[in-house]
Amino acid sequence: MSAMLIILLSALLFLVAWGDVRRRIIPNRLNIIIALAAPVFWWAEGLALWPGVAAQLALALAVFAAFAGLFSLGLMGGGDVKLIGALALWVPPAAILNMLVLTAFGGGLATLATLVVHWLRHAEGQAEVPYGVAIAAAAILCLGQPYIYHFA
């Protein structure tokens, strides 16, 4: 059941990434679906209410608050902040730092690619980075890793 939920989440994250690349928007409905599906994943994983669910909720709140601070400084988009907060409900506490590091690395690559395309097109204004792609890829890597090894 957990593997099926990871596949479902991966499909949702593909939609997030695709939409972010095409329109530079992460729809709230996708973030809501991702967040509301997390308790089903907790149940499938056998996560106890204490300390498991409580730790997951506290971690997600801390991640959301930290990235909301970056949003308030104009460094991240609102959809990105909501997405990373929703995904923090899924990623185990032991893997959240990995997800954030992978997100930063992927975000750097996305920024570089976006700036190159912006420059080659001689586009006006500020380049908008589809950071949702990096967030989605990092989450899939962190959540899918145990299942990849299991099926290999």
Side-chain angles (χ1 to χ4, degrees):
M1 174 95 163
S2 295
M4 294 300 284
L5 290 167
I6 296 295
I7 291 169
L8 174 65
L9 176 64
S10 297
L12 291 170
L13 290 174
F14 175 79
L15 292 174
V16 164
W18 180 256
D20 202 18
V21 167
R22 291 186 52 116
R23 295 180 304 280
R24 300 301 192 267
I25 292 173
I26 299 173
N28 283 335
R29 71 179 180 277
L30 289 176
N31 286 328
I32 291 168
I33 292 168
I34 290 168
L36 291 177
V40 178
F41 181 66
W42 301 338
W43 173 78
E45 288 283 297
L47 199 62
L49 285 176
W50 185 262
V53 171
Q56 202 70 52
L57 288 170
L59 178 66
L61 183 60
V63 167
F64 180 79
F67 282 87
L70 294 175
F71 171 77
S72 72
L73 297 172
L75 299 174
M76 287 195 81
D80 299 326
V81 172
K82 290 178 265 188
L83 177 62
I84 207 157
L87 288 170
L89 291 168
W90 286 73
V91 177
I96 197 71
L97 187 57
N98 290 342
M99 187 184 91
L100 297 177
V101 169
L102 287 170
T103 296
F105 181 72
L109 292 175
T111 300
L112 183 60
T114 301
L115 291 175
V116 167
V117 169
H118 193 73
W119 179 75
L120 289 173
R121 291 183 177 172
H122 303 288
E124 298 287 325
Q126 185 106 5
E128 291 184 30
V129 179
Y131 214 81
V133 174
I135 298 167
I140 289 169
L141 286 171
C142 287
L143 285 167
Q145 185 177 16
Y147 301 102
I148 292 169
Y149 293 127
H150 178 71
F151 292 116

